[in-house]
């Protein structure tokens, strides 16, 4: 009987793994099954541009099936439970079981605004409180901003980790630009409250990005741990009693792993699956592998990271199927284009060991992208990324970047 | 007396213990006093949890991990260790600076 490779989640990571494995495995011997609850694929990086009218919802949604090869069996259903000791998962409300030989978990990271008192249940959600971390929130915020006359805009990050940790900064830069263009920048106060000690965690990037906030008169409130939203007084309150007033609150809510991970007892405190950060294998079950945001690897949760994980997960799965040891090849490589407004962007490139540094990328000395420095080319890189995402990346094709980080071209 | 004990070990620029082996419960009392905190049983419950978690994972636990792991609410953790409990406890427990996030 054929053996089964089961992939949970057909977002960025799961789709890439399905494509690559369909290419590598002998499909007389193996069947590949992918399960996702949602037939639509969302290009999440595009959510950022929706509030400012730069993208419409239709730019960021495509049918999932279009990105999966015909040889892969796709089922649209809720995964209710994972039972690793029985090598099976249970689907839907009727609890149908699917047995597997290998399991790839790609269930992502999800927002939970309801975890913060007052955020959703305070009666102002989608009225003057929004998030751009969901398509619906981004669309509603776009409608609100269209007619907003100005006031105090507060962007709050509730808790770390969040997926795409640079997205809040990009939102701020784009907001600054948007209000400039609208001619109301002098009527808008922009405030950024974050639990981090600065604009970003890694020291050199944090200093540079912090300066960029200052230049744009964006007020940074660091070490702010959100306790609750008081919609009556229109303030957000931290655990140590600081209050910040808002007219418009944009929230990056608490992120956790998928509910099914938590309910199946596979996750850590936040529902992320413990994995070996170099091999991407589950620390508990040797036939379980994790790609993308679902795992607890201490690197950014980003599509680019899922892409850099891909080759390692695929190679290690194939090795394990042949009885070989997995190789510790994943180095935490992340690179993120940061939109900085006015048609410019920044690029940062880093891994477990090395913080973001200035330099050129991907060709040392040449670029065309500048690391940790604003340029127009970086902005176009970000815009082209959407095309790459739909046409190359999801199908497991090669991006013009290496999986492992390189120090060449960096100024130490 | 607590001043004496603090001068016998090395701290980094931010006040984290350089050599984890230097840590003793007496030292913790002294560091806490320097931070303006008088350690109670509740404080010790948190400190012990963090030391155990760090021994397991090699990292100082996050606020969420401390709250879930000890069952003490985040709000109360802020009362016990004002202004950033995760960092405060790490200092007192002789652990590395919490990585925050990436
Ligand atoms: C606003 C924003 C901006 C971003 N910008 C960037 C950027 O500029 N660059 C970048 O690289 N990354 C960016 N990201 C991050 C990027 O989108 C994610 O890191 C990436 O999509 C992660 O892929 P994944 O496969 O781990 O999870 P996802 O793509 O989120 O896929 C998870 C899938 O699992 C499915 N699923 C979960 N639970 C179940 C269940 N129980 N049953 C069935 N199906 C289930 C979901 O339906 C989903 O399809 C951004 C994200 C956001 C929100």
């Amino acid at each position: 009987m054929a053996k089964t490779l089961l992939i949970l989640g057909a977002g960025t990571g799961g789709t890439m793994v399905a494509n690559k494995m369909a290419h590598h495995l002998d499909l007389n011997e193996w069947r590949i099954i992918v399960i996702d609850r949602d037939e639509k694929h969302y290009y999440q990086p595009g959510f950022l541009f929706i509030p400012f009218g730069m993208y419409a919802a239709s730019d960021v949604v495509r049918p999932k099936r279009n990105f999966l090869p015909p040889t892969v069996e796709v089922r649209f259903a809720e995964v209710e439970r994972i039972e690793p000791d029985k090598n099976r998962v249970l689907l839907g409300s009727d609890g149908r079981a699917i047995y597997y030989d290998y399991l790839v978990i790609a269930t992502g990271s999800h927002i939970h605004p309801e975890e913060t008192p007052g955020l959703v249940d305070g009666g102002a959600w989608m009225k003057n409180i929004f998030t751009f971390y969901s398509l619906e929130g981004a669309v509603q915020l776009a409608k609100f901003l269209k007619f907003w006359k100005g006031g105090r805009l507060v962007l709050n990050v509730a808790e770390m980790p969040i997926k795409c940790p640079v997205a809040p900064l990009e939102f701020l830069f784009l907001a600054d630009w948007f209000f400039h263009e609208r001619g109301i920048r002098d009527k808008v106060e922009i405030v950024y409250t974050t639990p981090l000690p600065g604009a970003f965690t890694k020291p050199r990037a944090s200093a540079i990005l912090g300066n960029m906030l200052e230049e744009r008169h964006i007020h940074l409130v660091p070490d702010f741990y959100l306790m609750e939203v008081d919609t009556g007084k229109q303030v957000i309150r931290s655990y140590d009693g600081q209050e910040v007033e808002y007219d418009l609150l944009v929230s990056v809510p608490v992120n956790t792993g998928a509910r099914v991970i938590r309910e199946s007892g596979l996750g850590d405190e936040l529902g992320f699956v413990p994995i070996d950060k170099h091999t991407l294998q589950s620390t508990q079950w040797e036939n379980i592998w994790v790609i993308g945001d679902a795992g607890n690897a201490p690197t950014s949760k980003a599509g680019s990271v899922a892409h850099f994980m891909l080759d390692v997960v695929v190679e290690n799965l194939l090795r394990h199927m042949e009885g070989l040891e997995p190789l510790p090849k994943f180095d935490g490589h992340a690179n993120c284009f940061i939109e900085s407004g006015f048609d410019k962007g920044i690029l940062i490139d880093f891994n477990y060991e090395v913080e973001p540094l200035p330099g050129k990328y991907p060709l040392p000395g040449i670029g065309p992208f500048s690391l940790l420095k604003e340029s127009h080319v970086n902005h176009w890189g970000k815009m082209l990324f959407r095309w790459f995402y739909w046409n190359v990346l999801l199908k497991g094709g090669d991006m013009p970047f290496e999986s492992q980080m390189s120090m060449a071209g960096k100024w130490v | 007396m607590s001043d004496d004990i603090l001068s016998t070990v090395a701290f980094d620029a931010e006040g984290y213990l350089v050599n984890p082996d230097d840590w003793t419960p007496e030292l913790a009392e002294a560091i806490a006093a320097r931070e303006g905190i008088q350690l109670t049983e509740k404080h010790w419950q948190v400190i012990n949890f963090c030391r155990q978690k760090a021994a397991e994972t090699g990292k100082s636990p996050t606020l969420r991990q401390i709250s879930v792991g000890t069952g003490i609410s985040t709000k109360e953790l802020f009362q016990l260790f004002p202004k950033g409990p995760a960092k405060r406890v790490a200092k007192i427990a002789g652990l590395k600076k919490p990585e925050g996030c990436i």
Side-chain angles (χ1 to χ4, degrees), chain A residues 130-154:
Chain A
F130 301 89
T131 181
F132 63 98
Y133 266 59
S134 71
L135 179 56
E136 205 224 331
V139 168
Q140 294 303 324
L141 179 54
K143 287 187 188 159
F144 180 91
L145 284 178
K146 214 166 170 179
F147 300 108
W148 198 43
K149 299 225 161 42
R152 199 171 152 89
L153 161 63
V154 175

PDB file of all heavy atoms in Angstrom, chain A residues 130-154:
ATOM      1  N   PHE A 130      -8.804  48.897  14.686  1.00  0.00           N
ATOM      2  CA  PHE A 130      -8.666  47.990  13.535  1.00  0.00           C
ATOM      3  C   PHE A 130      -7.374  47.197  13.654  1.00  0.00           C
ATOM      4  O   PHE A 130      -6.501  47.524  14.461  1.00  0.00           O
ATOM      5  CB  PHE A 130      -8.599  48.785  12.220  1.00  0.00           C
ATOM      6  CG  PHE A 130      -9.811  49.643  11.971  1.00  0.00           C
ATOM      7  CD1 PHE A 130      -9.863  50.950  12.445  1.00  0.00           C
ATOM      8  CD2 PHE A 130     -10.898  49.141  11.272  1.00  0.00           C
ATOM      9  CE1 PHE A 130     -10.979  51.743  12.220  1.00  0.00           C
ATOM     10  CE2 PHE A 130     -12.011  49.924  11.041  1.00  0.00           C
ATOM     11  CZ  PHE A 130     -12.058  51.232  11.515  1.00  0.00           C
ATOM     12  N   THR A 131      -7.256  46.177  12.815  1.00  0.00           N
ATOM     13  CA  THR A 131      -5.971  45.514  12.648  1.00  0.00           C
ATOM     14  C   THR A 131      -5.732  45.354  11.156  1.00  0.00           C
ATOM     15  O   THR A 131      -6.692  45.189  10.395  1.00  0.00           O
ATOM     16  CB  THR A 131      -5.936  44.128  13.323  1.00  0.00           C
ATOM     17  OG1 THR A 131      -4.631  43.565  13.131  1.00  0.00           O
ATOM     18  CG2 THR A 131      -6.975  43.169  12.727  1.00  0.00           C
ATOM     19  N   PHE A 132      -4.489  45.429  10.726  1.00  0.00           N
ATOM     20  CA  PHE A 132      -4.216  45.126   9.313  1.00  0.00           C
ATOM     21  C   PHE A 132      -3.616  43.732   9.196  1.00  0.00           C
ATOM     22  O   PHE A 132      -3.103  43.352   8.159  1.00  0.00           O
ATOM     23  CB  PHE A 132      -3.306  46.189   8.677  1.00  0.00           C
ATOM     24  CG  PHE A 132      -1.939  46.281   9.298  1.00  0.00           C
ATOM     25  CD1 PHE A 132      -0.864  45.632   8.717  1.00  0.00           C
ATOM     26  CD2 PHE A 132      -1.732  46.999  10.460  1.00  0.00           C
ATOM     27  CE1 PHE A 132       0.403  45.696   9.292  1.00  0.00           C
ATOM     28  CE2 PHE A 132      -0.475  47.077  11.038  1.00  0.00           C
ATOM     29  CZ  PHE A 132       0.597  46.423  10.453  1.00  0.00           C
ATOM     30  N   TYR A 133      -3.702  42.943  10.291  1.00  0.00           N
ATOM     31  CA  TYR A 133      -3.207  41.570  10.268  1.00  0.00           C
ATOM     32  C   TYR A 133      -4.257  40.569   9.783  1.00  0.00           C
ATOM     33  O   TYR A 133      -4.036  39.374   9.824  1.00  0.00           O
ATOM     34  CB  TYR A 133      -2.648  41.174  11.644  1.00  0.00           C
ATOM     35  CG  TYR A 133      -1.151  41.403  11.712  1.00  0.00           C
ATOM     36  CD1 TYR A 133      -0.629  42.673  11.508  1.00  0.00           C
ATOM     37  CD2 TYR A 133      -0.262  40.353  11.933  1.00  0.00           C
ATOM     38  CE1 TYR A 133       0.737  42.888  11.526  1.00  0.00           C
ATOM     39  CE2 TYR A 133       1.106  40.557  11.947  1.00  0.00           C
ATOM     40  CZ  TYR A 133       1.599  41.822  11.741  1.00  0.00           C
ATOM     41  OH  TYR A 133       2.957  42.026  11.757  1.00  0.00           O
ATOM     42  N   SER A 134      -5.425  41.067   9.365  1.00  0.00           N
ATOM     43  CA  SER A 134      -6.391  40.191   8.704  1.00  0.00           C
ATOM     44  C   SER A 134      -6.884  40.952   7.487  1.00  0.00           C
ATOM     45  O   SER A 134      -6.842  42.187   7.465  1.00  0.00           O
ATOM     46  CB  SER A 134      -7.566  39.864   9.637  1.00  0.00           C
ATOM     47  OG  SER A 134      -8.379  41.012   9.822  1.00  0.00           O
ATOM     48  N   LEU A 135      -7.358  40.216   6.495  1.00  0.00           N
ATOM     49  CA  LEU A 135      -7.832  40.878   5.284  1.00  0.00           C
ATOM     50  C   LEU A 135      -9.014  41.777   5.613  1.00  0.00           C
ATOM     51  O   LEU A 135      -9.075  42.938   5.186  1.00  0.00           O
ATOM     52  CB  LEU A 135      -8.234  39.825   4.239  1.00  0.00           C
ATOM     53  CG  LEU A 135      -8.768  40.396   2.918  1.00  0.00           C
ATOM     54  CD1 LEU A 135      -7.768  41.340   2.280  1.00  0.00           C
ATOM     55  CD2 LEU A 135      -9.117  39.268   1.955  1.00  0.00           C
ATOM     56  N   GLU A 136      -9.940  41.254   6.412  1.00  0.00           N
ATOM     57  CA  GLU A 136     -11.123  42.034   6.729  1.00  0.00           C
ATOM     58  C   GLU A 136     -10.746  43.333   7.457  1.00  0.00           C
ATOM     59  O   GLU A 136     -11.255  44.409   7.134  1.00  0.00           O
ATOM     60  CB  GLU A 136     -12.075  41.201   7.601  1.00  0.00           C
ATOM     61  CG  GLU A 136     -13.504  41.653   7.465  1.00  0.00           C
ATOM     62  CD  GLU A 136     -14.234  41.736   8.792  1.00  0.00           C
ATOM     63  OE1 GLU A 136     -13.890  40.975   9.715  1.00  0.00           O
ATOM     64  OE2 GLU A 136     -15.141  42.580   8.901  1.00  0.00           O
ATOM     65  N   GLY A 137      -9.845  43.209   8.419  1.00  0.00           N
ATOM     66  CA  GLY A 137      -9.414  44.387   9.168  1.00  0.00           C
ATOM     67  C   GLY A 137      -8.764  45.420   8.267  1.00  0.00           C
ATOM     68  O   GLY A 137      -9.027  46.624   8.373  1.00  0.00           O
ATOM     69  N   ALA A 138      -7.928  44.955   7.341  1.00  0.00           N
ATOM     70  CA  ALA A 138      -7.227  45.874   6.441  1.00  0.00           C
ATOM     71  C   ALA A 138      -8.223  46.613   5.553  1.00  0.00           C
ATOM     72  O   ALA A 138      -8.100  47.816   5.321  1.00  0.00           O
ATOM     73  CB  ALA A 138      -6.212  45.095   5.596  1.00  0.00           C
ATOM     74  N   VAL A 139      -9.232  45.883   5.082  1.00  0.00           N
ATOM     75  CA  VAL A 139     -10.243  46.485   4.211  1.00  0.00           C
ATOM     76  C   VAL A 139     -11.080  47.515   4.983  1.00  0.00           C
ATOM     77  O   VAL A 139     -11.335  48.622   4.505  1.00  0.00           O
ATOM     78  CB  VAL A 139     -11.145  45.375   3.598  1.00  0.00           C
ATOM     79  CG1 VAL A 139     -12.374  45.970   2.936  1.00  0.00           C
ATOM     80  CG2 VAL A 139     -10.339  44.547   2.599  1.00  0.00           C
ATOM     81  N   GLN A 140     -11.477  47.165   6.202  1.00  0.00           N
ATOM     82  CA  GLN A 140     -12.258  48.100   7.019  1.00  0.00           C
ATOM     83  C   GLN A 140     -11.448  49.351   7.356  1.00  0.00           C
ATOM     84  O   GLN A 140     -11.960  50.460   7.369  1.00  0.00           O
ATOM     85  CB  GLN A 140     -12.735  47.429   8.321  1.00  0.00           C
ATOM     86  CG  GLN A 140     -13.740  46.302   8.111  1.00  0.00           C
ATOM     87  CD  GLN A 140     -14.978  46.763   7.349  1.00  0.00           C
ATOM     88  OE1 GLN A 140     -15.453  47.884   7.502  1.00  0.00           O
ATOM     89  NE2 GLN A 140     -15.496  45.896   6.481  1.00  0.00           N
ATOM     90  N   LEU A 141     -10.167  49.154   7.639  1.00  0.00           N
ATOM     91  CA  LEU A 141      -9.306  50.290   7.970  1.00  0.00           C
ATOM     92  C   LEU A 141      -9.156  51.223   6.764  1.00  0.00           C
ATOM     93  O   LEU A 141      -9.141  52.448   6.900  1.00  0.00           O
ATOM     94  CB  LEU A 141      -7.942  49.785   8.455  1.00  0.00           C
ATOM     95  CG  LEU A 141      -6.892  50.837   8.826  1.00  0.00           C
ATOM     96  CD1 LEU A 141      -7.440  51.834   9.854  1.00  0.00           C
ATOM     97  CD2 LEU A 141      -5.637  50.160   9.377  1.00  0.00           C
ATOM     98  N   ALA A 142      -9.069  50.634   5.572  1.00  0.00           N
ATOM     99  CA  ALA A 142      -8.979  51.457   4.354  1.00  0.00           C
ATOM    100  C   ALA A 142     -10.197  52.364   4.247  1.00  0.00           C
ATOM    101  O   ALA A 142     -10.083  53.558   3.956  1.00  0.00           O
ATOM    102  CB  ALA A 142      -8.871  50.557   3.120  1.00  0.00           C
ATOM    103  N   LYS A 143     -11.378  51.795   4.524  1.00  0.00           N
ATOM    104  CA  LYS A 143     -12.605  52.590   4.458  1.00  0.00           C
ATOM    105  C   LYS A 143     -12.569  53.721   5.463  1.00  0.00           C
ATOM    106  O   LYS A 143     -12.997  54.843   5.186  1.00  0.00           O
ATOM    107  CB  LYS A 143     -13.826  51.702   4.746  1.00  0.00           C
ATOM    108  CG  LYS A 143     -14.154  50.768   3.611  1.00  0.00           C
ATOM    109  CD  LYS A 143     -15.473  50.048   3.894  1.00  0.00           C
ATOM    110  CE  LYS A 143     -15.691  48.965   2.847  1.00  0.00           C
ATOM    111  NZ  LYS A 143     -16.643  47.952   3.333  1.00  0.00           N
ATOM    112  N   PHE A 144     -12.081  53.411   6.658  1.00  0.00           N
ATOM    113  CA  PHE A 144     -12.029  54.419   7.715  1.00  0.00           C
ATOM    114  C   PHE A 144     -11.055  55.541   7.346  1.00  0.00           C
ATOM    115  O   PHE A 144     -11.352  56.724   7.480  1.00  0.00           O
ATOM    116  CB  PHE A 144     -11.594  53.756   9.030  1.00  0.00           C
ATOM    117  CG  PHE A 144     -11.509  54.696  10.189  1.00  0.00           C
ATOM    118  CD1 PHE A 144     -12.603  54.903  11.029  1.00  0.00           C
ATOM    119  CD2 PHE A 144     -10.324  55.397  10.458  1.00  0.00           C
ATOM    120  CE1 PHE A 144     -12.525  55.785  12.111  1.00  0.00           C
ATOM    121  CE2 PHE A 144     -10.248  56.276  11.535  1.00  0.00           C
ATOM    122  CZ  PHE A 144     -11.342  56.460  12.355  1.00  0.00           C
ATOM    123  N   LEU A 145      -9.874  55.159   6.855  1.00  0.00           N
ATOM    124  CA  LEU A 145      -8.839  56.162   6.581  1.00  0.00           C
ATOM    125  C   LEU A 145      -9.219  57.093   5.437  1.00  0.00           C
ATOM    126  O   LEU A 145      -8.801  58.250   5.390  1.00  0.00           O
ATOM    127  CB  LEU A 145      -7.508  55.471   6.247  1.00  0.00           C
ATOM    128  CG  LEU A 145      -6.748  54.885   7.438  1.00  0.00           C
ATOM    129  CD1 LEU A 145      -5.475  54.191   6.957  1.00  0.00           C
ATOM    130  CD2 LEU A 145      -6.393  55.971   8.457  1.00  0.00           C
ATOM    131  N   LYS A 146     -10.022  56.579   4.533  1.00  0.00           N
ATOM    132  CA  LYS A 146     -10.429  57.364   3.382  1.00  0.00           C
ATOM    133  C   LYS A 146     -11.059  58.695   3.797  1.00  0.00           C
ATOM    134  O   LYS A 146     -10.848  59.715   3.161  1.00  0.00           O
ATOM    135  CB  LYS A 146     -11.440  56.544   2.578  1.00  0.00           C
ATOM    136  CG  LYS A 146     -11.362  56.764   1.096  1.00  0.00           C
ATOM    137  CD  LYS A 146     -12.131  55.683   0.379  1.00  0.00           C
ATOM    138  CE  LYS A 146     -12.270  56.036  -1.076  1.00  0.00           C
ATOM    139  NZ  LYS A 146     -12.981  54.996  -1.799  1.00  0.00           N
ATOM    140  N   PHE A 147     -11.818  58.661   4.880  1.00  0.00           N
ATOM    141  CA  PHE A 147     -12.536  59.863   5.273  1.00  0.00           C
ATOM    142  C   PHE A 147     -12.042  60.457   6.587  1.00  0.00           C
ATOM    143  O   PHE A 147     -12.637  61.371   7.131  1.00  0.00           O
ATOM    144  CB  PHE A 147     -14.044  59.556   5.367  1.00  0.00           C
ATOM    145  CG  PHE A 147     -14.605  59.095   4.054  1.00  0.00           C
ATOM    146  CD1 PHE A 147     -14.958  57.765   3.863  1.00  0.00           C
ATOM    147  CD2 PHE A 147     -14.728  59.988   2.998  1.00  0.00           C
ATOM    148  CE1 PHE A 147     -15.442  57.333   2.641  1.00  0.00           C
ATOM    149  CE2 PHE A 147     -15.221  59.561   1.766  1.00  0.00           C
ATOM    150  CZ  PHE A 147     -15.577  58.234   1.586  1.00  0.00           C
ATOM    151  N   TRP A 148     -10.953  59.920   7.117  1.00  0.00           N
ATOM    152  CA  TRP A 148     -10.469  60.401   8.414  1.00  0.00           C
ATOM    153  C   TRP A 148      -9.884  61.795   8.264  1.00  0.00           C
ATOM    154  O   TRP A 148      -9.127  62.072   7.332  1.00  0.00           O
ATOM    155  CB  TRP A 148      -9.426  59.437   8.970  1.00  0.00           C
ATOM    156  CG  TRP A 148      -9.186  59.598  10.433  1.00  0.00           C
ATOM    157  CD1 TRP A 148     -10.125  59.773  11.413  1.00  0.00           C
ATOM    158  CD2 TRP A 148      -7.922  59.559  11.113  1.00  0.00           C
ATOM    159  NE1 TRP A 148      -9.536  59.838  12.648  1.00  0.00           N
ATOM    160  CE2 TRP A 148      -8.172  59.717  12.500  1.00  0.00           C
ATOM    161  CE3 TRP A 148      -6.589  59.398  10.694  1.00  0.00           C
ATOM    162  CZ2 TRP A 148      -7.161  59.727  13.459  1.00  0.00           C
ATOM    163  CZ3 TRP A 148      -5.586  59.404  11.651  1.00  0.00           C
ATOM    164  CH2 TRP A 148      -5.868  59.569  13.014  1.00  0.00           C
ATOM    165  N   LYS A 149     -10.226  62.676   9.219  1.00  0.00           N
ATOM    166  CA  LYS A 149      -9.758  64.045   9.129  1.00  0.00           C
ATOM    167  C   LYS A 149      -8.505  64.286   9.964  1.00  0.00           C
ATOM    168  O   LYS A 149      -7.959  65.387   9.972  1.00  0.00           O
ATOM    169  CB  LYS A 149     -10.861  64.988   9.603  1.00  0.00           C
ATOM    170  CG  LYS A 149     -12.137  64.893   8.773  1.00  0.00           C
ATOM    171  CD  LYS A 149     -12.665  66.277   8.432  1.00  0.00           C
ATOM    172  CE  LYS A 149     -13.628  66.277   7.269  1.00  0.00           C
ATOM    173  NZ  LYS A 149     -14.598  65.174   7.262  1.00  0.00           N
ATOM    174  N   GLY A 150      -8.095  63.260  10.677  1.00  0.00           N
ATOM    175  CA  GLY A 150      -6.892  63.417  11.496  1.00  0.00           C
ATOM    176  C   GLY A 150      -7.192  63.243  12.965  1.00  0.00           C
ATOM    177  O   GLY A 150      -8.345  63.108  13.372  1.00  0.00           O
ATOM    178  N   GLY A 151      -6.126  63.219  13.778  1.00  0.00           N
ATOM    179  CA  GLY A 151      -6.250  62.954  15.203  1.00  0.00           C
ATOM    180  C   GLY A 151      -5.029  62.157  15.634  1.00  0.00           C
ATOM    181  O   GLY A 151      -3.977  62.234  14.994  1.00  0.00           O
ATOM    182  N   ARG A 152      -5.205  61.380  16.706  1.00  0.00           N
ATOM    183  CA  ARG A 152      -4.077  60.648  17.247  1.00  0.00           C
ATOM    184  C   ARG A 152      -4.162  59.174  16.851  1.00  0.00           C
ATOM    185  O   ARG A 152      -5.061  58.451  17.304  1.00  0.00           O
ATOM    186  CB  ARG A 152      -4.120  60.791  18.765  1.00  0.00           C
ATOM    187  CG  ARG A 152      -2.844  60.514  19.477  1.00  0.00           C
ATOM    188  CD  ARG A 152      -3.037  60.941  20.928  1.00  0.00           C
ATOM    189  NE  ARG A 152      -2.197  60.188  21.824  1.00  0.00           N
ATOM    190  CZ  ARG A 152      -0.970  60.546  22.153  1.00  0.00           C
ATOM    191  NH1 ARG A 152      -0.450  61.656  21.688  1.00  0.00           N
ATOM    192  NH2 ARG A 152      -0.253  59.804  22.970  1.00  0.00           N
ATOM    193  N   LEU A 153      -3.258  58.761  16.004  1.00  0.00           N
ATOM    194  CA  LEU A 153      -3.196  57.365  15.567  1.00  0.00           C
ATOM    195  C   LEU A 153      -2.183  56.622  16.430  1.00  0.00           C
ATOM    196  O   LEU A 153      -1.018  57.017  16.497  1.00  0.00           O
ATOM    197  CB  LEU A 153      -2.762  57.304  14.094  1.00  0.00           C
ATOM    198  CG  LEU A 153      -2.211  55.961  13.590  1.00  0.00           C
ATOM    199  CD1 LEU A 153      -3.251  54.873  13.654  1.00  0.00           C
ATOM    200  CD2 LEU A 153      -1.706  56.080  12.163  1.00  0.00           C
ATOM    201  N   VAL A 154      -2.661  55.584  17.110  1.00  0.00           N
ATOM    202  CA  VAL A 154      -1.756  54.770  17.916  1.00  0.00           C
ATOM    203  C   VAL A 154      -1.675  53.376  17.311  1.00  0.00           C
ATOM    204  O   VAL A 154      -2.699  52.737  17.066  1.00  0.00           O
ATOM    205  CB  VAL A 154      -2.234  54.670  19.384  1.00  0.00           C
ATOM    206  CG1 VAL A 154      -1.354  53.713  20.173  1.00  0.00           C
ATOM    207  CG2 VAL A 154      -2.236  56.051  20.033  1.00  0.00           C
TER     208      VAL A 154
END
